Amino acid sequence: MSILITAGPTYERIDPVRFIGNYSSGKMGIALAEECVNREIDVILVLGPVNITSHIFNNPHIKIINVESAKQMYDACMQFYPHCEGAILCAAVADFTPISVADHKIKREGDELIIRLKPTNDIAASLGNIKKENQLLAGFALETDDEETNAKGKMQRKNFDFIVLNSLNDEGAGFRHDTNKITIIDKYKEYEYPLKTKKECAKDIIDKYCEMLKTSGKPVDK
Ligand code: C5P
């Protein structure tokens, strides 16, 4: 059995020295990969630019595809997802990217600088579109307001089997922290968990993933 996991941020180049990025550390996605490798599940980790490393990076159960931009992450996911039983999309993918990349470092000139952006591919929705009946797809939603409604909307739009909600309003949850407070939402139910380390959250998420694989996405009472 193998699973595709996306993790970390994406960087969208503006010029040879600058980019648009975000605060994702990759910790949650790497914790998910570690949990899978510990269970001897093969992982394809599509990893954006991060500063952390892990003891599993040399493990034979993991293949790491290093990417930088949303486009590169999209291409890697479209290539590998068809060969996996499923995917958990944990990366914080840029929604917009510059229309053109300047060849030279942009000079400090004038009163303002306007950079025109175009939307990136929605990797989650694209995988949701090509998802086969025997594949599972799960994603994350990091919300600041109307958390549950937004997460449920995302789950439907992207054809996820379940979504992991973390709120920026919860102390110790989200970007860069070692802890997270998650709610797992599937089509039937919501499971709320207390604040835990990202490692422990990863166990809960992979437990849920493996249960759903066994029951082909049907609800499992806890
Ligand atoms: O950014 P957003 O909150 O919409 O992300 C929700 C889910 O969709 C996450 O699982 C994220 O990894 C995924 N996503 C993606 N491609 C994008 C934007 C988001 O795979 N372009």
Side-chain angles (χ1 to χ4, degrees):
M1 154 162 157
S2 70
I3 179 169
L4 178 117
I5 295 174
T6 66
T10 62
Y11 286 179
E12 308 304 316
R13 282 180 66 181
I14 296 172
D15 70 14
V17 295
R18 304 186 182 95
F19 59 84
I20 299 171
N22 63 66
Y23 291 125
S24 171
S25 62
K27 282 178 183 169
M28 190 64 243
I30 290 172
L32 287 170
E34 286 172 347
E35 185 57 30
C36 289
V37 167
N38 288 342
R39 297 182 193 203
E40 301 194 343
I41 298 171
D42 288 335
V43 176
I44 305 223
L45 178 63
V46 181
L47 185 59
V50 295
N51 287 320
I52 49 174
T53 182
S54 163
H55 63 280
I56 57 154
F57 284 0
N58 290 323
N59 189 292
H61 283 290
I62 189 167
K63 179 180 171 77
I64 302 177
I65 318 289
N66 288 110
V67 297
E68 187 177 287
S69 64
K71 172 79 172 76
Q72 290 169 351
M73 189 171 275
Y74 171 83
D75 289 343
C77 289
M78 292 303 275
Q79 180 185 346
F80 289 102
Y81 184 61
H83 310 290
C84 296
E85 270 80 27
I88 304 183
L89 307 177
C90 196
V93 187
D95 289 321
F96 290 90
T97 191
I99 284 181
S100 61
V101 182
D103 295 341
H104 300 102
K105 187 178 167 193
I106 298 171
K107 300 276 181 308
R108 186 189 178 96
E109 289 169 344
D111 290 335
E112 61 178 7
L113 170 68
I114 294 171
I115 299 170
R116 298 188 73 83
L117 307 174
K118 61 180 180 191
T120 54
N121 287 322
D122 188 331
I123 301 168
S126 307
L127 298 188
N129 267 332
I130 60 166
K131 186 173 81 169
K132 296 193 208 87
E133 235 176 69
N134 59 346
Q135 283 180 314
L136 273 191
L137 188 61
F140 275 69
L142 179 68
E143 302 292 339
T144 54
D145 50 81
D146 283 336
E147 286 97 338
E148 275 176 42
T149 316
N150 284 334
K152 283 180 184 162
K154 254 172 216 179
M155 178 167 72
Q156 270 179 2
R157 278 197 308 278
K158 300 177 191 244
N159 198 16
F160 287 160
D161 296 284
F162 70 87
I163 191 157
V164 182
L165 168 66
N166 34 183
S167 169
L168 268 188
N169 298 327
D170 286 322
E171 187 89 9
F175 284 150
R176 291 188 289 194
H177 290 288
D178 288 320
T179 49
N180 207 356
K181 188 170 181 310
I182 60 166
T183 304
I184 298 182
I185 304 173
D186 65 22
K187 283 171 204 144
Y188 308 94
K189 240 177 154 176
E190 291 187 25
Y191 309 84
E192 225 184 300
Y193 298 84
L195 186 75
K196 293 182 177 194
T197 62
K198 285 190 173 169
K199 202 178 157 62
E200 288 166 329
C201 292
K203 279 203 177 87
D204 293 332
I205 295 164
I206 300 301
D207 277 346
K208 171 77 182 166
Y209 183 89
C210 289
E211 270 175 15
M212 281 192 99
L213 259 190
K214 270 192 233 149
T215 61
S216 317
K218 301 286 179 317
V220 195
D221 275 325
K222 274 208 163 167

